[in-house]
Amino acid sequence: MTNETYLYGGDQNLTSYHFCNPYVYKEAFVFYGILYPIVAILTVVTNILVVGVFLKQKMKSPTTTLLIGLAIGDAGVGAVTLPLHIYYHSLQNYRFTLEYPGCIFYHVAPVISTILHTVSVWVTTVLGVQRYLVVSHPFKGPKYCTIRASVIVLVYIYVFATAMYFPQFFYLNFREIVVNGGNGIVYQVCECWATDVPAVYEGKLKILKLSLAKLIPCIILAITTILLVRKLDKEARQSGSLHAERQSVNRETREARLIRRTSLMIVVIVVTCLVVEVPNGLRYLTRTINPEALDPETDLFLVAILNVCTLLNFHINFWIYICLSQEFRKTLRSIVCRWNKKYQKVHLMSQSSMRTTSDNL
């Protein structure tokens, strides 16, 4: 999501002001006014459910700890940008000059969204690396891939992503301007102008974002996924050839099957991430090498498609857990049933209270 703001001067009496205007995207209403809010709501709700399931004691593990961090980042992307797109695109207020202090949120929300998107990419990368270590080194891997290590890695990722994009919060200055629109109508609009920060930091940010947020994670994800798939295929063949009738061997086979199922789930998560992030990285690489390779209208239209696809990918993770994790399904079912019982209890109590009141009357 881009963080630029189009500025324009007003009429002859307002030439000294630069009012903040929202972006005007091609098909903005379709992508950001309809599709994005729907996907964002689904993403927030499903990832809250994911966090609730994985926080259960029986579900806690180094992998689920990382998945909690992933779900928080994914839900955050949807939650932060949802009010912005509903107000400006669903209600079509993007046609008007930004009001104060809404202009501040219009600038800050995409930066927070970019931070959380980077967090999601790197957590997914760590998931792929962690799963490969556990599968390839079954004795040494679990010693290093602990819950404590997962928490430390998550803290580092969140701090790193925040630090990388933190200067973007100071790219613009904002000021409230009261404009007399005539006939007694007064508008409180926003004037914004660029600070000195972009000139100092923007060039470095492009290099950091291209390398640390796009290329390097995608390369690591691709390599670990290929290695992990090869390792799983090799182990599947070995377990088939060494199948025995003894119960102890059968127990080991069930444990191995559980590890393979979890590994398969991580592989699917990584692959879906790559499907979205590779085009995103190629677009950013093209813009970095040749800023004029895409005209602004085409570039913004492409960004709109990629943003919706990225958010959809954050939502799809929930269905991956549903399809590939039996324990996740059981825990989710128990949570939903518990909520249903509480609702029925409250409903019965309210009905009983209403009957008592009517009898007294």
Side-chain angles (χ1 to χ4, degrees), residues 228-298:
L228 182 58
V229 170
R230 292 178 61 182
K231 183 66 177 179
L232 291 174
D233 181 65
K234 182 179 179 181
E235 289 189 351
R237 293 179 181 179
Q238 290 178 347
S239 63
S241 61
L242 297 177
H243 185 272
E245 296 180 356
R246 290 184 305 172
Q247 185 177 357
S248 59
V249 176
N250 287 335
R251 184 170 61 252
E252 293 176 357
T253 302
R254 287 195 297 270
E255 293 174 357
R257 190 181 301 116
L258 178 61
I259 293 176
R260 287 197 299 272
R261 189 180 295 117
T262 303
S263 300
L264 176 61
M265 183 179 70
I266 300 302
V267 168
V268 176
I269 292 173
V270 169
V271 170
T272 56
C273 178
L274 283 172
V275 169
V276 176
E277 292 304 321
V278 169
N280 217 332
L282 291 175
R283 175 252 167 196
Y284 195 82
L285 176 63
T286 303
R287 289 281 296 171
T288 303
I289 296 176
N290 183 11
E292 298 180 357
L294 299 172
D295 62 273
E297 185 177 354
T298 302

